[in-house]
Amino acid sequence: MSGTSHHEATERASMTDYVATDAPPAAGAHLVDDFTPSLLDIGEHSLCPGCGEPIAMRAILEAIEAVGAVSRAIGVIGIGCYTAFSNNLDIEVLQALHGRAPSLATGVKRAKPDTLVLTVQGDGDMVNEGLQEVLHTAARGENVTCFMLDNGVFGETGGHMTATTALGQRTKNTLDGRDAAQHGFPIRLSTLIADLDGAAYVARGAVNNAGNVARTKKMIRRALETQEAGLGFSFVETPDAPDYLTSTLAPVHAPGVLKDVRA
């Protein structure tokens, strides 16, 4: 019996995986696997480096698969940077007017109650352009799921202030930071929705690190499961920005589950 320990054997085996760098490789690099989600036709995008929207979109698509609703899913897409994904999603997609996605989703769900209906909107689209749409949809307890990709600015049109921009946050039209006296206070949409009786599940996640991504994936799936159970309106907000902006938004829009009627 060899005197080599299991640890030593494993270490020696792993050493053979290293590629020498003192000479050109014997074989060229190759793609190990294509990790593009199966419901996303093209993984490439033109969004800003560090943007978390692709991560959030991936999590939504994976959750649709996880709840077994691929053939029944209908996405209603708002107006923003994320709209570019609408041509690449391998589910049924409807394009809404600016801010009106929750109302369009309401019509779809009432006409086809067996479908899984979800909206994807940014903070500018949902809170500035369509605040009454999402609030009334939640207040009626419509059995749809709305996702808000919150980066605190109108990203597609240059990066100016939205209704969720935090106090002190610099944008294209708040160069010295958002000031309450001049610009008003930020709207905490998740908090507003959680107080409505028609809302069954409300959560605010983040996608700026692996731990937050894992927690946000659970929130997204829980929201879709809430709809599948017919319990009413469900909502997940995700600040989709680099760490420096997440640290600015987090004190105002704190992550966590705000309401879960199934808990």
Side-chain angles (χ1 to χ4, degrees):
M1 184 173 180
S2 173
T4 303
S5 68
H6 175 71
H7 174 75
E8 290 173 335
T10 302
E11 186 175 15
R12 288 180 182 177
S14 64
M15 290 178 65
T16 63
D17 296 333
Y18 290 104
V19 177
T21 58
D22 56 351
H30 64 281
L31 181 66
V32 175
D33 197 359
D34 183 3
F35 295 100
T36 303
S38 60
L39 293 181
L40 189 64
D41 293 335
I42 302 174
E44 297 178 356
H45 61 82
S46 59
L47 299 180
C48 299
C51 178
E53 289 183 1
I55 302 174
M57 290 297 300
R58 181 188 186 114
I60 293 170
L61 295 176
E62 290 175 344
I64 292 172
E65 284 191 290
V67 300
V70 173
S71 62
R72 298 182 292 106
I74 299 179
V76 183
I77 310 298
I79 303 295
C81 304
Y82 50 87
T83 309
F85 283 105
S86 60
N87 291 330
N88 299 330
L89 303 183
D90 196 15
I91 60 172
E92 296 295 331
V93 172
L94 295 175
Q95 179 64 61
L97 296 175
H98 212 349
R100 309 304 180 230
S103 294
L104 182 52
T106 295
V108 173
K109 188 69 176 186
R110 290 192 179 193
K112 299 179 69 65
D114 293 334
T115 55
L116 180 75
V117 183
L118 57 107
T119 73
V120 178
Q121 300 171 263
D123 48 303
D125 184 76
M126 182 177 278
V127 189
N128 282 69
E129 303 293 340
L131 180 60
Q132 69 172 15
E133 308 290 333
V134 67
L135 289 181
H136 283 287
T137 300
R140 294 193 303 269
E142 301 290 349
N143 196 40
V144 299
T145 304
C146 292
F147 296 106
M148 182 172 77
L149 310 179
D150 184 5
N151 58 10
V153 296
F154 277 101
E156 185 183 34
T157 52
H160 54 289
M161 181 184 70
T162 71
T164 68
T165 300
L167 293 180
Q169 182 180 333
R170 296 183 62 194
T171 72
K172 289 292 182 67
N173 61 338
T174 58
L175 298 181
D176 294 324
R178 179 172 186 167
D179 175 66
Q182 184 176 2
H183 309 113
F185 291 89
I187 293 176
R188 299 177 178 87
L189 183 57
S190 293
T191 305
L192 292 178
I193 292 176
D195 196 43
L196 298 174
D197 293 336
Y201 182 83
V202 182
R204 186 187 289 122
V207 293
N208 63 311
N209 59 51
N212 280 337
V213 169
R215 283 183 282 272
T216 299
K217 285 183 175 182
K218 292 179 180 179
M219 294 174 180
I220 291 172
R221 178 166 178 172
R222 184 74 166 181
L224 295 182
E225 290 173 342
T226 297
Q227 181 184 162
E228 291 282 73
L231 298 177
F233 184 80
S234 51
F235 177 79
V236 178
E237 171 186 351
T238 62
D240 297 304
D243 283 341
Y244 81 92
L245 191 51
T246 301
S247 63
T248 301
L249 289 172
V252 179
H253 307 283
V257 177
L258 284 73
K259 186 176 185 179
D260 187 353
V261 298
R262 301 176 67 190

